[in-house]
C-alpha cells in the first residue's frame, strides 16, 4: 500500500454563540474521514478552529459589555468542550487571534502587494454583517424597502476605502481549473455549476480584502496604506482562509507539518464545509494560492444544510438544535452515527428527533448491537465463552470468501471519501448475517449436536463482529472499543495486514458485554 498524507480541515467557526448541530455535522464528517484514513495506515492531520475577527463578533462583544478577546475566549472554551464530548480527535485548533496566524496574514498581504495584485479603491455596496460578505445586486433580494442576502439576513449599505485584490484578472484561470484541470475538485458537482452561473460566467469582480471602519482585526500593510491615521485590517475571509496554512506552521521557523501535509506531492488536501461558503473555498482560495505559488486543494466537500421540520434553523423560530442535548441523552456515538448515516451529504437534510430515534433503533440497537450481543451470548452458552478454534471452512466457505470482497469494497469507499457507501456496506453485511442466523438456527444445530457446523457458524459471526466494529470505529469511537474488548479483541492490534486473517480469533476468551445500544421508546 502506498502510504499517503491527508490534510483534512473544517472551516473555522464564529465563536459568537454556542455551536449548533450544523457545526457539529461538518466537524464529525472531518473527524470520521481522518480516522478512516488512519485506519488504512495513512497519515492524517485534522485542523479546526475559530474565526474571531468578524464584525458580528465585535458587535456581540459590545452588547455583552466585554472586550472582543474576552468574548471570544469564553466561546472558544464551549467549542473545545463540544469537540471533547463528540470525541473529535483534532491535531490543530487554530484561532485567528493566534500570533503565528497574525504573522502569516501580514506576510500574505505583503506578498500580494509586492506582486502588484492589490489596488486601493472605494467599496460601495450591500454588506451582510451576519455572513461577513459583500453582495452584488444580482445576488440580493428586495422585500419592501429592505434588502436581504441569499440566507435571508438583512443587508446594510456601506461605503469605505478598501484594498481590492485583482480577482477579475483570473476569471479564465479559475474556469480552466474547475472545468479542465481539476473537474472533480468540488463535491457534489452541482455546487460547481451553481458557482459558475452565479459568479464566474459573467466574469469575476475585484475583491475587497480590507476594512478601515473597524480596528478589531489584523492590521495589514500599515507602512504602505493608511488614511487619516486609520490602518487597514484584513477582511475576515482572507483572514479565515489562511488559517489552513498557519495551522500547519506555514512561514514558521519549524514548518515540518506544512512540508509534510501541504507542500508534498504525496499529500491530499481535503476541505469540508457547509455549501454556503463553497465560493470562498473554490474560487477565491485557489486563486490566492496560485498567486503565492502554493499547491491547490485536492478536494472540496460541501455538504448541504441541516434543516428542521419547521425550516432552516434560526433563533427566531426557536428550532436551533443543540448537539449537547443529544450527547447528554443518547451519547456521542449515537449523534455521530446519525450525522453520518441519517443525513444526506449532497442535499439539505431534515434533522428530527423521530428520525434520530428511528436510525438509532434500526441500526445501532437492532442491527449492530443485536449481532454483537447475540453472538457473544451463544459463545458463552454453547462453548463456555471460548471462541471456537476453526482451521478449515467446510460449511460457510462462501461467506468467508465474500468477506474479503466486502473489506476491499469498504477500503475503496474510504479512498473515495464516500461516507454513505462505507456505512451501507457494513449495514448490508450485518443484515446478511442476521438473516443467516435465522436461517441456520444455531440453537437447532446445538440441539441436533451438529457441533462442527455450530463452531464454524459462531466463528464466522465473531469475525463479522470484528470486521464490523473495526470499520465502524471511526464513527462509533466508544462503542467499538467496548464491544471488541468483550470479545478479547484489542482494536489497536487490528490493521490492514491482519484484517483478512480470520483465524486470529481462535480460542479467544470472551468477557461480559452490557447492552451498548438500548432501544429508545418514542414518547
Amino acid at each position: 500500500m502506498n502510504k499517503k498524507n491527508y490534510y483534512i480541515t473544517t472551516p473555522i467557526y464564529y465563536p459568537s454563540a454556542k455551536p449548533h448541530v450544523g457545526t457539529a455535522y461538518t466537524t464529525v464528517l472531518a473527524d470520521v474521514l481522518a480516522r478512516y484514513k488512519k485506519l488504512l495506515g495513512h497519515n492524517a492531520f485534522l485542523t479546526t478552529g475559530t474565526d474571531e475577527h468578524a464584525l458580528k463578533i465585535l458587535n456581540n462583544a459590545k452588547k455583552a459589555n466585554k472586550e472582543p478577546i474576552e468574548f471570544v475566549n469564553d466561546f472558544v472554551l464551549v467549542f473545545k468542550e463540544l469537540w471533547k464530548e463528540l470525541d473529535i480527535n483534532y491535531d490543530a485548533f487554530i484561532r485567528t487571534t493566534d500570533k503565528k496566524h497574525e504573522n502569516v496574514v501580514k506576510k500574505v498581504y505583503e506578498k500580494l502587494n509586492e506582486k502588484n495584485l492589490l489596488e486601493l479603491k472605494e467599496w460601495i455596496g450591500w454588506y451582510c454583517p451576519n455572513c461577513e460578505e459583500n453582495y452584488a445586486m444580482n445576488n440580493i433580494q428586495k422585500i419592501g424597502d429592505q434588502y436581504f442576502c441569499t440566507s435571508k439576513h438583512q443587508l446594510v449599505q456601506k461605503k469605505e476605502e478598501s484594498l481590492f485584490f485583482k480577482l477579475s484578472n483570473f476569471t479564465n484561470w479559475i474556469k480552466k481549473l474547475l472545468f479542465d484541470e481539476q473537474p472533480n475538485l468540488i463535491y457534489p458537482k452541482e455546487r460547481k455549476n451553481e458557482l459558475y452561473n452565479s459568479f464566474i460566467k459573467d466574469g469575476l469582480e475585484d475583491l475587497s480584502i480590507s476594512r478601515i471602519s473597524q480596528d478589531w482585526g489584523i492590521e495589514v500593510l500599515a507602512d504602505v496604506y493608511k488614511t487619516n491615521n486609520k490602518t487597514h485590517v484584513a477582511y475576515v475571509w482572507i483572514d479565515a482562509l489562511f488559517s489552513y496554512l498557519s495551522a500547519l506552521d506555514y512561514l514558521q521557523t519549524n514548518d515540518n507539518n506544512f512540508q509534510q501535509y501541504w507542500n508534498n506531492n504525496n499529500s491530499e488536501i481535503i476541505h469540508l464545509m457547509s455549501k454556503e461558503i463553497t465560493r470562498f473555498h473554490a474560487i477565491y482560495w485557489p486563486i490566492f494560492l496560485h498567486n503565492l505559488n502554493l499547491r491547490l486543494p485536492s478536494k472540496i466537500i460541501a455538504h448541504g444544510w441541516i434543516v428542521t421540520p419547521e425550516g432552516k434553523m434560526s433563533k427566531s423560530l426557536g428550532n436551533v438544535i443543540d448537539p449537547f442535548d443529544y450527547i447528554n441523552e443518547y451519547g456521542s456515538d449515537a449523534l455521530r452515527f446519525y450525522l453520518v448515516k441519517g443525513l444526506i451529504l449532497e442535499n439539505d437534510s431534515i434533522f428530527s428527533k423521530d428520525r434520530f430515534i428511528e436510525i438509532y433503533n434500526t441500526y445501532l440497537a437492532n442491527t449492530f448491537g443485536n449481532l454483537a450481543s447475540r453472538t457473544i451470548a451463544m459463545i458463552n452458552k454453547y462453548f463456555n465463552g471460548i471462541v471456537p478454534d476453526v482451521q478449515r471452512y467446510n460449511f460457510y466457505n462462501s461467506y468467508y470468501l465474500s468477506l474479503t470482497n466486502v473489506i476491499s469494497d469498504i477500503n475503496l469507499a474510504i479512498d473515495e471519501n464516500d461516507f454513505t457507501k462505507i456505512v451501507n456496506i457494513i449495514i448490508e453485511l450485518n443484515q446478511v448475517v442476521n438473516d443467516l442466523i435465522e436461517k441456520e438456527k444455531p440453537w437447532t444445530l446445538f440441539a441436533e449436536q451438529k457441533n462442527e457446523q455450530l463452531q464454524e457458524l459462531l466463528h464466522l459471526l465473531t469475525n463479522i463482529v470484528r470486521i464490523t466494529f473495526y470499520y465502524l470505529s471511526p464513527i462509533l469511537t466508544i462503542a467499538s472499543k467496548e464491544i471488541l474488548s468483550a470479545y478479547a479483541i484489542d482494536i489497536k492490534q487490528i490493521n490492514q495486514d491482519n484484517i483478512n486473517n480470520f483465524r486470529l480469533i481462535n480460542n479467544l476468551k470472551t468477557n461480559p458485554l452490557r447492552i451498548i445500544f438500548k432501544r429508545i421508546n418514542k414518547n
Side-chain angles (χ1 to χ4, degrees):
M1 183 195 75
N2 179 26
K3 189 172 184 177
K4 299 179 69 173
N5 302 307
Y6 287 89
Y7 183 45
I8 298 169
T9 72
T10 75
I12 53 174
Y13 304 110
Y14 290 129
S16 56
K18 287 179 64 177
H20 55 70
V21 74
T23 309
Y25 182 37
T26 314
T27 312
V28 165
L29 289 181
D31 179 65
V32 167
L33 185 58
R35 288 174 184 266
Y36 271 121
K37 299 304 184 183
K38 291 176 183 177
L39 208 67
L40 296 192
H42 302 299
N43 298 313
F45 192 103
L46 173 61
T47 286
T48 189
T50 44
D51 186 359
E52 302 177 16
H53 289 133
L55 178 59
K56 62 179 164 184
I57 298 280
L58 181 61
N59 292 336
N60 287 352
K62 288 177 180 177
K63 291 176 184 176
N65 198 28
K66 292 182 178 180
E67 290 298 317
I69 191 64
E70 178 189 7
F71 180 82
V72 294
N73 282 345
D74 291 341
F75 279 110
V76 165
L77 293 176
V78 180
F79 275 83
K80 287 187 173 182
E81 178 61 23
L82 178 58
W83 302 155
K84 180 181 178 182
E85 291 294 315
L86 271 173
D87 204 14
I88 304 296
N89 188 24
Y90 57 81
D91 298 282
F93 189 102
I94 188 70
R95 299 177 59 177
T96 54
T97 51
D98 288 342
K99 190 65 179 177
K100 71 173 182 179
H101 175 74
E102 179 181 336
N103 292 336
V104 166
V105 171
K106 286 177 178 288
K107 290 176 183 177
V108 164
Y109 275 77
E110 290 170 7
K111 288 173 180 286
L112 296 177
N113 193 52
E114 288 167 2
K115 292 193 171 191
N116 196 33
L117 290 167
L118 304 185
E119 183 178 358
L120 189 65
K121 297 191 291 187
E122 188 172 61
W123 182 79
I124 302 173
W126 292 96
Y127 177 72
C128 178
N130 196 288
C131 301
E132 293 284 348
E133 185 176 348
N134 302 328
Y135 279 88
M137 286 302 296
N138 63 333
N139 283 310
I140 66 178
Q141 181 179 6
K142 185 177 182 182
I143 301 176
D145 296 330
Q146 297 177 335
Y147 292 87
F148 297 85
C149 72
T150 52
S151 296
K152 308 301 182 186
H153 302 128
Q154 188 172 346
L155 302 176
V156 295
Q157 197 164 28
K158 296 189 73 175
K159 175 181 177 181
E160 69 175 298
E161 179 183 281
S162 176
L163 287 168
F164 280 75
F165 176 82
K166 297 176 182 179
L167 198 72
S168 57
N169 293 354
F170 301 99
T171 299
N172 290 333
W173 182 87
I174 199 68
K175 282 182 185 177
K176 185 176 180 182
L177 174 73
L178 297 181
F179 290 91
D180 297 327
E181 296 176 357
Q182 285 187 249
N184 298 316
L185 174 64
I186 306 170
Y187 182 84
K189 63 182 180 181
E190 290 77 16
R191 308 272 187 265
K192 181 172 69 175
N193 298 331
E194 292 165 3
L195 292 179
Y196 178 79
N197 291 326
S198 298
F199 302 106
I200 300 173
K201 181 174 65 175
D202 296 328
L204 297 173
E205 297 180 356
D206 288 347
L207 179 66
S208 169
I209 60 167
S210 75
R211 297 285 181 267
I212 61 170
S213 59
Q214 68 182 71
D215 56 7
W216 172 240
I218 300 172
E219 292 187 355
V220 293
L221 299 170
D223 57 338
V224 181
Y225 300 102
K226 185 177 284 190
T227 303
N228 298 326
N229 291 321
K230 288 187 175 182
T231 305
H232 288 254
V233 299
Y235 174 46
V236 67
W237 275 106
I238 195 169
D239 182 3
L241 288 166
F242 278 91
S243 68
Y244 298 139
L245 292 179
S246 59
L248 290 176
D249 300 321
Y250 171 61
L251 299 180
Q252 304 300 309
T253 303
N254 181 352
D255 66 349
N256 290 342
N257 285 331
F258 169 74
Q259 296 299 337
Q260 179 176 356
Y261 290 99
W262 196 285
N263 195 30
N264 184 338
N265 289 332
N266 195 39
S267 180
E268 286 196 22
I269 301 162
I270 304 174
H271 296 311
L272 286 101
M273 69 208 65
S274 182
K275 66 180 182 180
E276 74 271 11
I277 57 174
T278 312
R279 172 175 33 138
F280 307 103
H281 290 79
I283 299 178
Y284 303 162
W285 184 225
I287 291 174
F288 290 144
L289 293 170
H290 167 69
N291 281 286
L292 293 170
N293 298 316
L294 294 168
R295 63 164 295 186
L296 306 184
S298 313
K299 180 69 68 174
I300 293 170
I301 300 175
H303 64 74
W305 287 330
I306 294 180
V307 297
T308 71
E310 296 78 28
K312 191 176 179 183
M313 287 186 288
S314 73
K315 290 182 181 178
S316 59
L317 288 176
N319 64 342
V320 177
I321 298 169
D322 186 341
F324 283 108
D325 292 342
Y326 280 81
I327 296 169
N328 292 337
E329 188 167 357
Y330 305 109
S332 62
D333 277 353
L335 180 56
R336 288 172 67 97
F337 186 79
Y338 180 76
L339 292 174
V340 176
K341 170 59 182 172
L343 306 181
I344 302 171
L345 187 147
E346 294 81 0
N347 303 319
D348 295 348
S349 299
I350 295 176
F351 189 114
S352 72
K353 191 167 186 178
D354 285 347
R355 175 70 172 154
F356 179 94
I357 293 173
E358 178 187 348
I359 292 287
Y360 178 101
N361 285 339
T362 300
Y363 300 111
L364 297 184
N366 293 353
T367 303
F368 304 133
N370 185 43
L371 176 64
S373 296
R374 71 195 305 195
T375 298
I376 206 167
M378 288 187 289
I379 292 171
N380 289 331
K381 181 175 181 179
Y382 303 138
F383 298 106
N384 297 316
I386 306 295
V387 178
D389 186 330
V390 175
Q391 299 295 331
R392 295 173 59 84
Y393 312 127
N394 299 314
F395 300 93
Y396 303 104
N397 190 52
S398 62
Y399 285 89
Y400 279 104
L401 292 174
S402 68
L403 278 181
T404 302
N405 295 329
V406 166
I407 290 167
S408 297
D409 290 344
I410 296 173
N411 289 348
L412 179 60
I414 294 171
D415 284 338
E416 295 172 344
N417 312 313
D418 194 333
F419 302 94
T420 302
K421 189 174 182 181
I422 294 167
V423 175
N424 285 343
I425 292 171
I426 300 169
I427 288 172
E428 184 178 353
L429 171 64
N430 276 253
Q431 289 172 337
V432 167
V433 78
N434 276 317
D435 289 344
L436 178 65
I437 293 172
E438 298 306 317
K439 173 187 173 186
E440 296 297 278
K441 296 180 174 57
W443 46 91
T444 301
L445 295 178
F446 178 76
E448 295 176 353
Q449 298 184 353
K450 294 180 178 179
N451 196 53
E452 184 181 351
Q453 185 175 353
L454 180 59
Q455 285 182 328
E456 190 174 324
L457 177 59
L458 289 178
H459 190 269
L460 172 66
L461 299 184
T462 303
N463 266 308
I464 291 176
V465 169
R466 180 175 69 104
I467 291 166
T468 292
F469 289 98
Y470 170 70
Y471 280 114
L472 282 178
S473 63
I475 303 172
L476 306 178
T477 61
I478 297 171
S480 294
K481 293 176 185 176
E482 184 172 349
I483 289 169
L484 290 177
S485 179
Y487 284 82
I489 298 170
D490 183 351
I491 195 170
K492 294 180 181 179
Q493 300 302 314
I494 309 175
N495 54 53
Q496 290 300 299
D497 294 328
N498 63 27
I499 189 66
N500 282 315
N501 187 343
F502 302 129
R503 296 181 179 86
L504 282 178
I505 62 170
N506 287 351
N507 298 311
L508 292 178
K509 177 70 172 71
T510 64
N511 302 301
L513 176 63
R514 66 182 179 91
I515 298 176
I516 303 292
F517 299 112
K518 297 179 181 178
R519 280 188 58 83
I520 302 171
N521 295 320
K522 290 186 179 181
N523 296 330

